[in-house]
Amino acid sequence: MPEPTAVSSSLDELSEGMAAFEEELADEIGELAKRRDWQAIQEKTEYAKQIRAFAHKIMALKEEWDRLNGLDDAGPAEYEGDPDQLPVTARTRWEQIGDKIRVQTEGVRSAYSNVIPVWLFKDLALAALSLIRANGYVKTADVLNGKLDTIVEKSEYKRAPRLPVYVTFKVLVKEGIFENPDRNTHRYTLVGGNEQLLHRFLGELG
């Protein structure tokens, strides 16, 4: 019999891919705001609304699939509103399992997760650090551009290279190592400029 969890995992991956795409789209809108290109902002904002609606459809499909196959064990949600109204860090949990990191994000009725190898997590985190040193901040898109070949050639995320970058940033924000002071720009910095905190965290991963 086919394994239903394989489909559920694929929908998880698609959901994370949409979230990463939305973040990059928000960055683009922020850049347009700096240039005061109001017409382009209006067009991109409308597009972003359509993308948000599409992302909700994917999550609804995943929840329906999990219910159909008895995979929805999250139970009733305590928060009855739109899960996007909660900060992503408040909905994110992670754990290290051997040489991999599993990151789970809670939705209203279900959760989706991704697993990335520790070596890739470290590589992406250090790439982000290098960009912070050079520019004073880092964006997920910048790390993706610099590490795209590595992700595609050496990891299992060939079809969704945004995901490991997005997941890495979620964990670093969750642990209070990265912060996004200006949410309109999606520029991340080190909390307190503390590089040692990042190095210590990465060292604890082994």
Side-chain angles (χ1 to χ4, degrees), residues 4-5 29 33 78 98 132 134 136 141 143 152 161 174 185 196 200:
T5 56
I29 293 173
E78 295 180 4
I132 290 174
V143 176
V152 171
K174 177 74 173 181
T185 64
Q196 290 306 312
R200 184 163 59 248

Side-chain angles (χ1 to χ4, degrees), residues 74-85:
E78 295 180 4
Y79 183 75
E80 295 299 332
D82 185 341
D84 292 321
Q85 297 304 312

Side-chain angles (χ1 to χ4, degrees), residues 42-132:
Q42 184 177 356
E43 293 172 0
K44 285 292 182 182
T45 300
E46 184 58 35
Y47 176 61
K49 290 178 181 177
Q50 295 173 8
I51 294 299
R52 178 95 293 265
F54 186 79
H56 278 303
K57 290 178 182 178
I58 294 171
M59 281 303 301
L61 282 173
K62 196 243 188 242
E63 291 166 0
E64 182 178 355
W65 177 264
D66 286 353
R67 285 195 301 272
L68 181 64
N69 291 280
L71 301 174
D72 186 4
D73 58 1
E78 295 180 4
Y79 183 75
E80 295 299 332
D82 185 341
D84 292 321
Q85 297 304 312
L86 285 174
V88 68
T89 51
R91 297 183 282 117
T92 299
R93 293 182 297 167
W94 73 275
E95 61 179 336
Q96 183 175 357
I97 306 173
D99 61 353
K100 291 180 172 54
I101 291 175
R102 179 176 181 268
V103 181
Q104 179 171 296
T105 303
E106 299 289 342
V108 172
R109 292 180 295 276
S110 64
Y112 53 94
S113 61
N114 290 100
V115 177
I116 64 173
V118 169
W119 72 263
L120 181 57
F121 181 93
K122 289 183 174 182
D123 195 35
L124 297 175
L126 292 175
L129 176 59
S130 294
L131 289 167
I132 290 174

Side-chain angles (χ1 to χ4, degrees), residues 22-42:
E22 286 185 85
E23 183 164 333
E24 291 182 22
L25 185 58
D27 286 343
E28 188 175 341
I29 293 173
E31 292 298 325
L32 291 172
K34 286 190 213 176
R35 300 199 298 267
R36 293 180 169 82
D37 190 342
W38 311 124
Q39 180 62 35
I41 289 174
Q42 184 177 356

